[in-house]
Amino acid sequence: MIQVHVFRKGQEATDIPVADLSQVRTEPRTLVWVDLVSATPQELAAMGEEFQLHPMALASCAPGAKQRPRVEEYEGQVLLVAYASKPVGEGQPVDLHELDVITGQNFLLTFHGGHPIEAAAVARRVTARPELAKHGAGFLLYVVLDEVVDTFFPTLDQIGERIEDLEEAVFEAAGDVQSQIFSLRRDLIAIRRVAGPMRDAVIVLLRRDLGLLTRESQRYLQDIYDHMVRVVESVEDYQDLASGALEASLAVISNRVGTVARNLGAYAAIFAVVTMISGIYGMNFAHMPELEWRFGYAWALGLMVVLAGGLWVYFKRKGWL
Amino acid sequence: MIQVHVFRKGQEATDIPVADLSQVRTEPRTLVWVDLVSATPQELAAMGEEFQLHPMALASCAPGAKQRPRVEEYEGQVLLVAYASKPVGEGQPVDLHELDVITGQNFLLTFHGGHPIEAAAVARRVTARPELAKHGAGFLLYVVLDEVVDTFFPTLDQIGERIEDLEEAVFEAAGDVQSQIFSLRRDLIAIRRVAGPMRDAVIVLLRRDLGLLTRESQRYLQDIYDHMVRVVESVEDYQDLASGALEASLAVISNRVGTVARNLGAYAAIFAVVTMISGIYGMNFAHMPELEWRFGYAWALGLMVVLAGGLWVYFKRKGWL
Amino acid sequence: MIQVHVFRKGQEATDIPVADLSQVRTEPRTLVWVDLVSATPQELAAMGEEFQLHPMALASCAPGAKQRPRVEEYEGQVLLVAYASKPVGEGQPVDLHELDVITGQNFLLTFHGGHPIEAAAVARRVTARPELAKHGAGFLLYVVLDEVVDTFFPTLDQIGERIEDLEEAVFEAAGDVQSQIFSLRRDLIAIRRVAGPMRDAVIVLLRRDLGLLTRESQRYLQDIYDHMVRVVESVEDYQDLASGALEASLAVISNRVGTVARNLGAYAAIFAVVTMISGIYGMNFAHMPELEWRFGYAWALGLMVVLAGGLWVYFKRKGWL
Amino acid sequence: MIQVHVFRKGQEATDIPVADLSQVRTEPRTLVWVDLVSATPQELAAMGEEFQLHPMALASCAPGAKQRPRVEEYEGQVLLVAYASKPVGEGQPVDLHELDVITGQNFLLTFHGGHPIEAAAVARRVTARPELAKHGAGFLLYVVLDEVVDTFFPTLDQIGERIEDLEEAVFEAAGDVQSQIFSLRRDLIAIRRVAGPMRDAVIVLLRRDLGLLTRESQRYLQDIYDHMVRVVESVEDYQDLASGALEASLAVISNRVGTVARNLGAYAAIFAVVTMISGIYGMNFAHMPELEWRFGYAWALGLMVVLAGGLWVYFKRKGWL
Amino acid sequence: MIQVHVFRKGQEATDIPVADLSQVRTEPRTLVWVDLVSATPQELAAMGEEFQLHPMALASCAPGAKQRPRVEEYEGQVLLVAYASKPVGEGQPVDLHELDVITGQNFLLTFHGGHPIEAAAVARRVTARPELAKHGAGFLLYVVLDEVVDTFFPTLDQIGERIEDLEEAVFEAAGDVQSQIFSLRRDLIAIRRVAGPMRDAVIVLLRRDLGLLTRESQRYLQDIYDHMVRVVESVEDYQDLASGALEASLAVISNRVGTVARNLGAYAAIFAVVTMISGIYGMNFAHMPELEWRFGYAWALGLMVVLAGGLWVYFKRKGWL
């Protein structure tokens, strides 16, 4: 599906047919954004012809390519492979969508398989500042990238909450902590794997002179770079916290095993004392004075209670119970 | 809230109204420091106009922005995002305050949400050395940054004490060591996250020729750089010690479980011996000579005492008790 | 065994005898690929003479040399040592084949011990795009390398499945998890050891001006570089997951030991209570009122059932059973 | 306390009063070494004036400053902050002394709080090779630094011995291994923290053209650099060994817990068999043939011995005892 | 002990007295190799004079110096400190021998304490290719270094076998695995400590223009560099495998403890059931119908067998036995 957005003098037009693009693009101070959802080979070919895209750039934008985030330059055009994220339901793996961007002098194409970013939000921001249109597609690229990068923060917030829940679970020994930590780490590895190269791609946009970006556009991209660095650093922090949580969980479990062992030992000792006394008075010796006592039975029971109680108090004080 | 400090010939004036700033700034050998606490949008706008600040620099200084420490240059002005720390009560997470600084030729603006540094201390140091005023706002920047960086040391000392307490707790098996180590690590990650970029920001101030800093100012900043490196290295050392403490705690716990197991085993054996004897003499065989003995009962009890006592001594020697 | 493939005008000829190579090579727009399987010293010498190969380059291509992947330049020729992989049966170590390549202006020689890549696939791709023949052997090198690099993905997919199986096994405590993780790590180390240097070798081809590669060929090689980076990153991710799985397995085992200990403790307590009661009523006191009761026996059994049942319910609620 | 050493023509003079320094320094081929122990502010000021030291260099040399090792250049003078070590008694933390050095054309000042190096040894080496005096203070700096760096080796040897003792203790399960490993790691962190920056400081002396050092002096400093690298590498090796020892200790402890558990289990089974038999013959059935047997009691005891002995042999063979 | 080898026109002469060296060295196309075993100070001094060696280079070659591998350049001469290895008997630490090399225009001196490499092998290879003599001592250096580096491979093979044995031991829980892993790690650290700097030394020979090496010699040294890289990478791989083995061993031990605990628990339950029944029928109630039964005893024994057997089957199915 192809959706064309044309920005002119702070106005957005979305009703331009693809066929008119060639003509619209020649108008001054006009920016064209073409958004392709699950583009068919025909649509890709049409775009390739219209915007004179390099075959390898176009191949990278085909649905299902699953590539590493990166920047590539093709005579006057720039290909950017990026990823956006979406919050997910509990227990589901992190959700990462590839979004490929090709930018030329006054146009920007996005290729993706769903709607990782909101087209309306992009349009609102672009139309809100018509004076920035003079920076050409660089400004459009900034807005799109900013929306893409911002999709990571809700996901990171979710992960932050998962870690907080995990920490409580670790110290309260609740639930299935280990497998949760494991799937958390999986998610963090998945995010790091796209976020790291995306940060590097943004720095390539910033550092290399790609011709497309004015100095002012680069200043805005600096902001995106800072956001990406924060994403990467947050992932690293969460990774540290997750392995800290696993280590702590190991210690907590060991601790608990120790506590249980001490506990059991104490109760075993108490029962053993009672059993010992009953064993003694269960012996069949002909001459056992206590057996003939009037209150022998009471004596035995009393002895049991006193010894068991004494041990109980002793262990309580020693902290074993 | 806006507080203006004007330094002239080793004197500080704090009663200059904001409206007079434009005029004051034109006087030679005068340094202006404007300290904004939780600046309102109006105050930000006023400053932006007065000092001709770049919109993106100003946006970075708005309250609640929560940014990574960094240095940015805007035609003749420098934006520095830094953090200060404050000691906290026991059991509370580490306290980090963002403090944004914009410096121009002869002025310095600070934006923050509370009072991370003492304005009086800054004023005292600036007025104490009027001859350094010739280095312009570079000297003011040095004093402010030095105060900011020095706020980290009490926090680090606190952490050092926490680690020492933890070590004792680990080897005395006292209290809730694991969760304390975990929250310690959290705090260290939080500090590292601001301290590392701050160190890098100071080195940018040192290395890049920003026009604002004289060679002598840079020599002073070198000192701040050394302090930041010490902060970062201390955090790393503490991180090493914290994970060392956790590993040691794991070993200590395992050790203790082993000790308890040995202990229990020894006592179980002692009781088992007594139970065995009482069991034997509790059997109902028609012909059991001991049962008819005059002192059979005493013999049985004696046997119990001797065997149990013997085992006790044996285990004591073997180190199991 | 020597197999000659000659590509001319989008046609492949495989029936050219080695003796005619000298003549064929002089024809314009002709690419020669000589594929040597377990080359004999005679065959190596013949190739060395025909293509004027450097003795050290030739020595590197002798079967059984077992070298690190790398690129070397010899006056106008390039030696590339690479590895290909093959999926293996369950329980077998990862399969890595050395494949050495020497490329000159319009020829390419491959040396290997088996058939790590499919010659037919290479031929198909080369003949499919006759227009690229103008890039000389650089294009041939791209196709061969692409086939080589792509052999890693089925192996990585196999490993991905092994890790997924392992994760389930870890949390279901099924089978011999530790030794499987260990052999997985061994395989990952083996792949990393060839993949890392191969990635570096490709970047040498890309960066250094080797004279053989046109700018367009390099663009294609960029694609191979991205694939190699993905291989290396996947290996690293799998290494992270494997050690995460081992750590999780440690925690899971500890957890289970704790559960078993709690379990045993609870049942031991239940039995101990029954034993205690039977012990008490097994004592031989002359005066034990219960013994004379009409329903004394029932009382004792009832007491046992009630106490044991009570404990059972108690432990069930506490989560120990 | 100030101690002046003047080296002239292979002779050392230590009786020069501070007041004569200005004059002595003008003599050719004369090297002046001023050694300040816990310098008072007055002494510092006097030196500052005499040798025209930069205020910041002087501030760095004040007692109690506790700085990171580093090199700084001040118009024609070099400040070097270094540390020396001293062997310590058993159980004490590693001992590190700051020693600050300022070197000019033909003089060298050392500032410290005790006697980290032996002045006599320095004097002996300087007077032994009068021909090297032509290299000026560079040679003096080499001798002092060499003495300083060599103080680390006895400390490292001590640590090497501690690690060897620890290893034995780990595998013999003797003593309080964990806390010893922990304090060892603390010491290693402390040494690494000064040794790393010292190595970097020496490389700054070597690489940067500081004007003070002749090419020949730099060759000698190369030797000191190699020593510092060895110190740092030894610390890293010891850190690896220490964490290896802790991990091994964890495994050893776990192993021992397992052994104890097996042991206990075996003995418990043996006792349980005896108890079971005595329990059976303690039942009060009216018709139990064995009870009436002539040698019933002996039969029961024999059964116990045979079963218990059989189990004992069985467990012994299985390796559980 | 001094052994002189003179290579002329593909011939080796070993009977040249030291006194004739000065004259022999002036002959064209002649290479001189002097091999010093445990050189005495007199021998060192004689060499120093004959070949005009720098005092510091000579000092580095004195026996017992124990230095880091490195390359140093002294006016037209190169000092190389290297190490060779030797396979050792079982249970012994890895064997590393220092070997110092000084090379000049047409001579090469080796200093060592034993015979880390075979002189005959060196001679054979040098005489085998007389045409390479034109590369001067560079070729000699290549041959010596190649022999030195190749001594590492048998040692690495030994270590590879130790690791394979260890892995089996880990999973079969045989022997004293932990201390073996520990000593393995010690050996690996020792090798890494010399192999890393040796690799760096070879790269210095390759990169820096030392005047001694022709372009062709450098190509050969490239080969040695690849070997050293393989040594270092093998050590790293083995380190990974060793720590993997230790971690696996921890998991295996924990697993076994868990198995033993389950085992014990199951048997304890079986015995407890038998004990419970005998306890019940050992009670002394006046009215216990079973006691009067004709086959009461058989009933009790039968009950024991049925319950114990049932539990045994139950636990067997549950996998606890």
Side-chain angles (χ1 to χ4, degrees), chain B residues 36-98:
Chain B
L36 291 102
V37 187
S38 309
T40 61
Q42 291 75 26
E43 290 172 338
L44 283 173
M47 289 300 116
E49 202 168 321
E50 172 62 40
F51 297 99
Q52 293 174 319
L53 308 177
H54 190 280
M56 288 211 72
L58 206 58
S60 294
C61 297
K66 199 131 178 52
Q67 301 162 94
R68 290 185 70 236
R70 67 178 190 280
V71 165
E72 268 171 38
E73 203 186 352
Y74 296 92
E75 297 90 49
Q77 301 181 351
V78 171
L79 164 73
L80 174 74
V81 178
Y83 277 78
S85 180
K86 254 184 199 164
V88 292
E90 204 172 297
Q92 283 185 290
V94 78
D95 194 2
L96 297 166
H97 291 279
E98 187 173 337

Side-chain angles (χ1 to χ4, degrees), chain E residues 270-285:
Chain E
I270 291 174
F271 279 122
V273 151
V274 171
T275 301
M276 186 182 68
I277 292 172
S278 73
I280 288 173
Y281 291 120
M283 293 191 297
N284 297 322
F285 287 98

Side-chain angles (χ1 to χ4, degrees), chain D residues 16-82:
Chain D
I16 314 278
V18 175
D20 293 0
L21 273 176
S22 314
Q23 197 242 307
V24 168
R25 284 173 59 205
T26 58
E27 301 173 16
R29 302 242 152 186
T30 299
L31 291 179
V32 173
W33 170 28
V34 187
D35 190 40
L36 292 101
V37 187
S38 310
T40 61
Q42 290 76 25
E43 291 171 338
L44 284 173
M47 290 300 116
E49 202 167 320
E50 172 63 40
F51 296 99
Q52 293 175 319
L53 309 177
H54 189 281
M56 288 210 75
L58 206 57
S60 292
C61 297
K66 198 128 179 54
Q67 300 161 97
R68 290 185 71 236
R70 68 179 189 279
V71 164
E72 268 171 39
E73 203 186 353
Y74 295 92
E75 296 91 46
Q77 301 180 351
V78 171
L79 164 74
L80 174 74
V81 178

Side-chain angles (χ1 to χ4, degrees), chain D residues 202-210 218 225:
Chain D
V202 177
I203 215 159
V204 166
L205 286 178
L206 273 171
R207 297 271 164 79
R208 224 190 284 163
D209 182 17
L210 295 171
Q218 287 191 315
Y225 174 69

Side-chain angles (χ1 to χ4, degrees), chain A residues 186 193 281 283 291 297, chain C residues 167 233 237 276 284 286 290:
Chain A
R186 235 182 200 292
R193 192 50 73 214
Y281 290 120
M283 294 191 296
L291 297 184
Y297 181 39
Chain C
E167 281 166 41
E233 288 181 348
D237 287 354
M276 186 182 68
N284 297 322
E290 295 96 324

Side-chain angles (χ1 to χ4, degrees), chain A residues 142 160 163-164 167 171 215-216 219-220 222-223 225-226 229-230 232-234 236-237 240-248 250-252 254-259 261-262 264-266 268-269 272-273 275-276 278-290 311 320, chain B residues 54-56 60 65-68 70 72-75 175-176 178-180 182 185-186 189-190 192-193 197 239 243 246-247 249-250 253-254 256-257 260-261 263-264 271 274-275 277-279 281-285 288 290-301 304:
Chain A
Y142 158 70
I163 287 184
E164 269 173 39
E167 282 165 41
F171 294 110
R215 206 171 131 61
E216 191 68 15
R219 178 153 295 153
Y220 282 96
Q222 174 70 42
D223 207 56
Y225 174 70
D226 284 333
V229 170
R230 246 177 67 201
V232 173
E233 288 181 348
S234 295
E236 287 167 0
D237 286 355
D240 281 4
L241 286 171
S243 50
L246 188 62
E247 285 172 41
L250 260 175
V252 164
S254 291
N255 225 347
R256 205 166 312 131
V257 171
T259 307
R262 266 202 307 279
L264 292 185
V273 152
T275 301
M276 186 182 68
S278 73
I280 288 173
Y281 290 120
M283 294 191 296
N284 296 321
F285 288 98
H287 306 286
M288 287 180 68
E290 294 97 322
L311 272 180
W320 282 36
Chain B
H54 190 280
M56 288 211 72
S60 294
K66 199 131 178 52
Q67 301 162 94
R68 290 185 70 236
R70 67 178 190 280
E72 268 171 38
E73 203 186 352
Y74 296 92
E75 297 90 49
D176 180 16
Q178 279 83 37
S179 78
Q180 283 178 47
F182 194 86
R185 284 175 149 193
R186 235 181 201 292
I189 288 176
R192 187 188 62 186
R193 194 49 74 214
Q239 286 185 319
S243 51
L246 189 61
E247 284 173 40
S249 116
L250 260 174
I253 291 168
S254 291
R256 205 165 312 132
V257 171
V260 167
N263 237 292
L264 292 185
F271 278 123
V274 170
T275 301
I277 292 171
S278 73
Y281 291 119
M283 294 191 297
N284 296 323
F285 287 99
M288 287 179 68
E290 295 96 324
L291 296 185
E292 309 306 325
W293 290 357
R294 184 77 189 89
F295 295 103
Y297 181 38
W299 150 257
L301 290 182
M304 287 173 186

Side-chain angles (χ1 to χ4, degrees), chain C:
Chain C
M1 209 196 71
I2 297 184
Q3 174 65 51
V4 177
H5 305 256
V6 175
F7 301 102
R8 263 182 303 211
K9 299 171 194 153
Q11 299 294 324
E12 181 198 20
T14 58
D15 51 359
I16 314 278
V18 175
D20 293 0
L21 274 177
S22 314
Q23 196 242 308
V24 168
R25 284 173 59 207
T26 58
E27 300 173 16
R29 302 242 152 187
T30 299
L31 290 179
V32 173
W33 170 30
V34 186
D35 190 39
L36 292 101
V37 186
S38 309
T40 60
Q42 291 76 25
E43 291 172 337
L44 284 173
M47 289 301 117
E49 204 167 320
E50 171 63 40
F51 296 99
Q52 294 174 319
L53 309 176
H54 190 280
M56 287 211 74
L58 206 59
S60 293
C61 296
K66 199 132 178 53
Q67 301 162 96
R68 290 185 70 235
R70 67 179 190 279
V71 165
E72 268 172 39
E73 204 187 352
Y74 296 91
E75 296 91 49
Q77 301 181 351
V78 171
L79 165 74
L80 174 74
V81 179
Y83 277 79
S85 179
K86 255 183 197 164
V88 292
E90 204 173 296
Q92 283 186 289
V94 79
D95 194 3
L96 297 166
H97 291 278
E98 187 172 338
L99 179 129
D100 305 318
V101 181
I102 299 182
T103 328
Q105 207 51 47
N106 62 345
F107 67 88
L108 181 139
L109 307 172
T110 49
F111 305 80
H112 51 85
H115 282 287
I117 59 167
E118 232 184 297
V122 173
R124 200 162 44 234
R125 289 176 64 182
V126 174
T127 51
R129 307 192 59 184
E131 81 279 12
L132 290 171
K134 69 166 182 264
H135 297 299
F139 174 63
L140 202 49
L141 178 63
Y142 158 70
V143 173
V144 168
L145 253 183
D146 197 37
E147 290 288 321
V148 166
V149 169
D150 280 352
T151 62
F152 281 93
F153 292 106
T155 297
L156 287 175
D157 288 346
Q158 260 195 346
I159 284 175
E161 280 163 34
R162 275 165 74 187
I163 288 183
E164 269 172 40
D165 291 355
L166 266 175
E167 281 166 41
E168 276 177 38
V170 162
F171 294 111
E172 287 168 7
D176 180 17
V177 185
Q178 280 84 36
S179 78
Q180 283 178 48
I181 295 178
F182 194 86
S183 70
L184 181 74
R185 283 176 149 193
R186 235 183 200 291
D187 287 352
L188 288 168
I189 288 176
I191 302 178
R192 185 188 64 187
R193 192 51 73 213
V194 301
M198 270 178 77
R199 179 198 52 193
D200 300 343
V202 177
I203 213 157
V204 167
L205 287 178
L206 272 170
R207 296 272 163 79
R208 224 190 285 164
D209 181 19
L210 294 172
L212 278 179
L213 301 171
T214 60
R215 204 169 133 61
E216 191 69 15
S217 300
Q218 286 192 316
R219 179 153 294 155
Y220 282 96
L221 279 175
Q222 173 70 44
D223 207 57
I224 288 177
Y225 174 69
D226 284 331
H227 285 195
M228 274 320 300
V229 170
R230 246 176 68 201
V231 170
V232 173
E233 288 181 348
S234 294
V235 170
E236 287 166 1
D237 287 354
Y238 288 150
Q239 286 185 319
D240 281 4
L241 285 172
S243 52
L246 188 62
E247 284 172 42
S249 117
L250 261 175
V252 165
I253 291 168
S254 291
N255 225 347
R256 204 167 312 131
V257 172
T259 307
V260 168
R262 266 203 306 280
N263 237 291
L264 292 185
Y267 280 114
I270 290 174
F271 279 122
V273 151
V274 171
T275 301
M276 186 182 68
I277 292 171
S278 73
I280 288 172
Y281 291 120
M283 294 192 295
N284 297 322
F285 287 99
H287 306 286
M288 287 179 68
E290 295 96 324
L291 296 184
E292 309 306 324
W293 289 357
R294 183 79 188 86
F295 295 104
Y297 181 39
W299 150 256
L301 291 181
L303 201 62
M304 288 172 185
V305 169
V306 167
L307 286 182
L311 272 180
W312 192 84
V313 170
Y314 172 71
F315 286 131
K316 204 78 187 176
R317 286 212 182 134
K318 216 171 146 181
W320 282 36
L321 281 178

